[in-house]
Amino acid sequence: MADYKAPLRDMRFVLNEVFDAPSHWRAMPALAEVVDAETAEAILEEAGKITAGTIAPLNRSGDEEGCRWQDGSVTTPAGYPEAYKLYAEGGWVGVGGDPAYGGMGMPKAISAQVEEMMNSASLAFGLYPMLTSGACLSIYAHASEALKQKYLPNMYAGLWAGSMCLTEPHAGTDLGIIRTKAEPQADGSYKISGTKIFITGGEHDLTENIIHLVLAKLPDAPAGSKGISLFLVPKVMVNDDGSLGSRNTLSCGSIEHKMGIQASATCVMNFDGATGWMVGEPNKGLAAMFTMMNYERLGVGIQGLSTGERSYQSAVEYARERIQSRAPTGPVAQDKAADPIIVHPDVRRMLLTMKALNEGGRAFSTYVAMQLDTAKFSEDAEARQRAEALVALLTPVAKAFLTDVGLESTIHGQQVFGGHGFIREWGQEQLVRDCRITQIYEGTNGIQALDLLGRKVVGSGGDLYRIFSDEIVGFCRDAGAEMGEFTAPLVKALELLDELTAHVLESAKRNPNEIGAASVEYLHAFGYTAYAYMWVRMAAAALGKDGEDDFYASKLGTARFYFARLLPRIHSLAASVKAGSESLYLLEANQF
């Protein structure tokens, strides 16, 4: 596999030239004090160095060795503890954390780029700081000041890790039926008892403590999801002076043997009357957990982008060097027995598909990250409200579409390698295996599609959708005639998406099955249209500069490929949406 190189040039292009992020930061006092273009540049440069130089070399060896469980303890692969220590010492775990508790205070638009680099280097490694950051988000937003002071500084510093304990053997998507119990104690703490499964980073040897956020039910909790509370449960008790005390009564019963992310410990966690403290209000645990969900789901989408990027980098290097057959138009490498496979049309189709999806995904994830920043930091109430609406609408798209096309990109990369792509030593098959989980955890992509179409589009009567579509219409209207080759197909795609949206809004009134039947294809049609909008914005930033720099010429060529070969996929998706739900119910259960 090729050495990983952080795509810093493209990240700078997206942040500075496409979205002018520094201007957005200057407009928000809370960010203007901590970040500018120069600070962002320095952070990305350093992140590129540690991810490429320290973490990426562990990716394959970590996959080969995996995590080991023995008597409740988990050992991560060789090199992981040392790499994690370096990563934590650089402040990267707390890159988006509040400076009041020791974080860097960077906007999500910056931390999103850091996450991409980290997960391209090693998705399994990246899960440990990601889960810690997610736990910190919920603690910061909902915990008491005492809990924040006691736990956040060491978590941001990477001395302590975090985990999110939601799923139980019988309760995955339907968290309302969890059985983990929380018994109130006289001192204000709770005794937590129950079993959680699929807990990423539930136990490991990277940090001296792990802070678990656990969903559980109080004795008098109402039934269903309205009866869930959230609790902070440390692996090791923390004394009043901040020192570590005795081991809490919780344990790792086993780790899972998985298809991919072998170096990430996926644990069964047993809580046997473990001591914990409530985070947020009683029976409001899901709301507290969902504080981090928009960030985490965008983060999982970025994991799909990250594996696609790593796949592309390896595949394009291989395609330039591997010689097989001659170009259809005649020999290109006259001094060699055959031409590099990059001359062949189908190899170019795969490489360009990967490039277009990766660069479109980077722009889209950055766009969503900037909406998160506006919602969090803007002092303009109207701007915050609009950003919150866009985040609600686009988060399921970011999670599901980026991971679906991320898997496509890893498979294309594997295919470019041919038989070598199926062999472990080249690393391409690992990317396919690692990427696959991103479509499943943090809410399966089918659930994301239901969320988009059912809750966000139909649930708002189309209002959330119109905020985004109106923005696209306005941008195309103001783009100018010279942008016509890009804006014209985008406008047509948006008209088709408008039509699909109206169709589902109407058909859902007659048959509730219509939403579920249309949801996945609708999300994909939405995703391709959203990427088209990103490509219009990137083309606008590159147009006129292509004569001065190959980077811009490559950007415009990739944009033209996207509109010619990828955006047309929406037409088959539209046909599926319009086909309705009837064909899904022609068979009885016993006929399958």
Side-chain angles (χ1 to χ4, degrees), residues 21 86 124 181 255 482 491 584:
L86 283 174
K181 299 296 184 184
I255 58 175
E482 69 276 8
V491 168
L584 299 180

Side-chain angles (χ1 to χ4, degrees), residues 383-395:
R384 283 200 311 273
Q385 186 176 15
R386 182 180 183 278
E388 287 168 359
L390 284 173
V391 167
L393 176 74
L394 299 178
T395 293

Side-chain angles (χ1 to χ4, degrees), residues 531-543:
Y531 274 32
Y533 176 41
M534 296 299 105
W535 273 110
V536 163
R537 295 191 66 152
M538 287 189 283
L543 200 63

